[in-house]
Amino acid sequence: MTKSFYFTLLFFMFFFSKSYAQTEKTNDHSHTNSIFDTEIENWLRELKIPALGLGIIENGKLKQIKVFGQIKENNSAPYNTIFNVASLTKPITSMVALHLVSLGKWNLDEPVYKYWTDPDLVNDPRNKKLTTRIILSHQTGFPNWRYMKENKKLSFDFEPGTQFQYSGEGFEYLRKAIENKFKKPIEQLAKDLIFQPLKMKDTNYIWDTDTDKSRFAIGYDKNEKPYEIEENKQANGADDLHTTIEDYGNFLANILNGGNLSKDVYLEMIKKQVQTGKSKYFGLGFIIYDLGNGDYALSHGGSDEGTFCLTVILPKTKQGILIFTNSDNGYKVFDKLLSQYLGENGGKIVEIETK
């Protein structure tokens, strides 16, 4: 998928559309699911969103999986629809690194040049300041993607570790460093450390013989015209993961229950590493929303051509939501679903993003 589509991912700047009415902000779900499901189906038709995957986490477990619409014309979306989730790749790559840190095999603050230096940066001494902590909190100084630069070369926009700038290049840098040290591709490390232990059978960085193409949700533009499917054979540390609501929901539920990390590493992950806006920070691999009174949310989104996705988990209440869509219009349902399923906290996140 196109790496520059829509955002350099200060991505939530327009994830929430004020032009659509929000549902009531309540935690009371006593009204029947079927009524709300009908409402969702009406939204999808109105907003020209062919398919929506919805996962609801309660008490630290994935409790509901709902998939609406069609993955392609006249082909209903199954519960195990496979979505391209774009930048939701980054939390997976982050957790691979953090698992390695927990195992004592990788160091958050060791300069990564010892394992990888990009050819564009060999003569820039600032490359020696790059660490996993700086990369996972988006403080590398890199652009989102080098091709956005006039000369198409990777370079620093500022001194690493001094400020926030969202960057897919940073995650690709980390992927190459990790692969060089461990002599394994990132997809194999992810399988060993995350996918197999959590039984994430439908999740991968690349398309291979195990990918069930018949369940893949084709991406659509805002006028419901399909995009071409790109079957990537080379892993990207920042983008193009394909997965299901069930797989990624269990991944997030696992994070709510400690993520199989050491306590110290988990605390580093949820620590506010850099401020990115009012009541908004980046930890290690996740956005952190400060919801007040000591409460917080961990979040990440993803967008490429034909996909808009959002995840939010609430560590204190062990709640969460996953929203996957296969449309450039997908962001238009985010505010409604956050408020419906996360109640007051969902409303607070919408407020942080829209003010």
Side-chain angles (χ1 to χ4, degrees):
M1 289 291 181
T2 305
K3 305 299 187 295
S4 63
F5 191 69
Y6 275 128
F7 55 22
T8 58
L9 209 67
L10 289 170
F11 51 82
F12 284 8
M13 285 173 67
F14 55 82
F15 262 16
F16 305 102
S17 171
K18 293 183 181 179
S19 59
Y20 297 93
Q22 290 179 28
T23 56
E24 184 184 357
K25 297 175 184 177
T26 174
N27 279 321
D28 178 11
H29 296 157
S30 57
H31 52 294
T32 61
N33 278 329
S34 60
I35 293 173
F36 191 59
D37 288 356
T38 301
E39 207 171 335
I40 290 173
E41 289 164 358
N42 291 336
W43 292 342
L44 299 185
R45 280 191 293 270
E46 174 195 341
L47 300 172
K48 296 182 179 178
I49 299 170
L52 165 74
L54 186 63
I56 306 302
I57 297 170
E58 295 172 356
N59 299 317
K61 292 182 180 178
L62 182 63
K63 289 292 179 69
Q64 291 183 57
I65 299 169
K66 297 183 179 184
V67 182
F68 302 85
Q70 299 183 336
I71 55 173
K72 53 189 167 190
E73 196 171 357
N74 300 320
N75 194 334
S76 293
Y79 87 95
N80 57 352
T81 292
I82 297 169
F83 290 86
N84 168 25
V85 294
S87 287
L88 287 182
T89 310
K90 293 181 178 74
I92 299 283
T93 301
S94 300
M95 287 298 288
V96 169
L98 295 176
H99 273 281
L100 293 169
V101 174
S102 280
L103 293 168
K105 297 179 177 181
W106 192 251
N107 189 312
L108 266 180
D109 298 303
E110 180 182 24
V112 297
Y113 79 88
K114 296 177 180 180
Y115 309 106
W116 169 254
T117 300
D118 190 280
D120 290 351
L121 300 178
V122 288
N123 296 318
D124 192 327
R126 288 176 291 184
N127 81 74
K128 294 189 175 181
K129 295 187 175 183
L130 294 171
T131 65
T132 300
R133 183 190 302 275
I134 283 172
I135 290 168
L136 296 186
S137 57
H138 293 279
Q139 298 183 79
T140 57
F142 293 153
N144 194 13
W145 297 106
R146 72 185 73 198
Y147 70 76
M148 296 174 173
K149 295 283 205 177
E150 197 172 338
N151 63 5
K152 313 299 182 191
K153 291 185 179 293
L154 187 62
S155 60
F156 293 100
D157 292 336
F158 54 82
E159 196 76 15
T162 61
Q163 64 190 74
F164 169 82
Q165 180 166 278
Y166 188 86
S167 175
E169 287 285 357
F171 278 70
E172 271 288 82
Y173 212 99
L174 182 61
R175 174 183 70 81
K176 291 169 185 173
I178 288 174
E179 288 181 341
N180 278 351
K181 176 168 183 180
F182 294 99
K183 309 303 179 192
K184 284 184 180 179
I186 191 76
E187 61 268 25
Q188 186 59 52
L189 289 164
K191 279 180 185 175
D192 295 344
L193 296 167
I194 300 170
F195 301 159
Q196 287 175 347
L198 297 181
K199 297 181 172 57
M200 296 169 66
K201 294 178 182 177
D202 284 319
T203 304
N204 207 340
Y205 284 82
I206 60 170
W207 289 64
D208 60 19
T209 53
D210 293 329
T211 305
D212 185 349
K213 299 177 187 180
S214 71
R215 291 188 278 124
F216 183 74
I218 294 170
Y220 289 83
D221 69 14
K222 62 183 180 180
N223 297 312
E224 294 186 285
K225 181 183 174 184
Y227 288 107
E228 230 178 281
I229 297 174
E230 294 182 27
E231 299 182 8
N232 54 305
K233 306 298 184 185
Q234 168 63 53
N236 185 305
D239 198 18
D240 285 339
L241 186 86
H242 53 263
T243 188
T244 62
I245 288 288
E246 182 171 19
D247 276 9
Y248 210 92
N250 286 327
F251 166 69
L252 292 176
N254 179 251
I255 288 174
L256 283 176
N257 293 295
N260 298 333
L261 301 176
S262 69
K263 185 177 179 182
D264 287 347
V265 172
Y266 189 86
L267 290 174
E268 288 292 342
M269 183 187 79
I270 63 173
K271 181 181 174 183
K272 297 170 181 174
Q273 303 284 338
V274 61
Q275 187 159 8
T276 66
K278 188 175 181 185
S279 302
K280 188 176 174 184
Y281 305 80
F282 237 99
L284 299 179
F286 290 91
I287 290 170
I288 300 171
Y289 288 106
D290 187 337
L291 303 177
N293 300 316
D295 205 359
Y296 66 100
L298 301 177
S299 179
H300 211 289
S303 169
D304 277 333
E305 287 180 341
T307 182
F308 256 111
C309 304
L310 176 64
T311 63
V312 178
I313 52 176
L314 301 167
K316 291 217 165 181
T317 61
K318 302 279 188 172
Q319 291 174 280
I321 187 169
L322 302 83
I323 308 166
F324 294 174
T325 77
N326 66 336
S327 170
D328 292 352
N329 295 323
Y331 68 94
K332 293 177 180 179
V333 295
F334 288 176
D335 57 349
K336 304 167 185 287
L337 294 171
L338 282 178
S339 297
Q340 174 67 31
Y341 285 102
L342 297 184
E344 185 180 352
N345 282 327
K348 284 179 183 177
I349 292 168
V350 173
E351 192 176 348
I352 289 168
E353 287 299 339
T354 54
K355 275 198 170 180

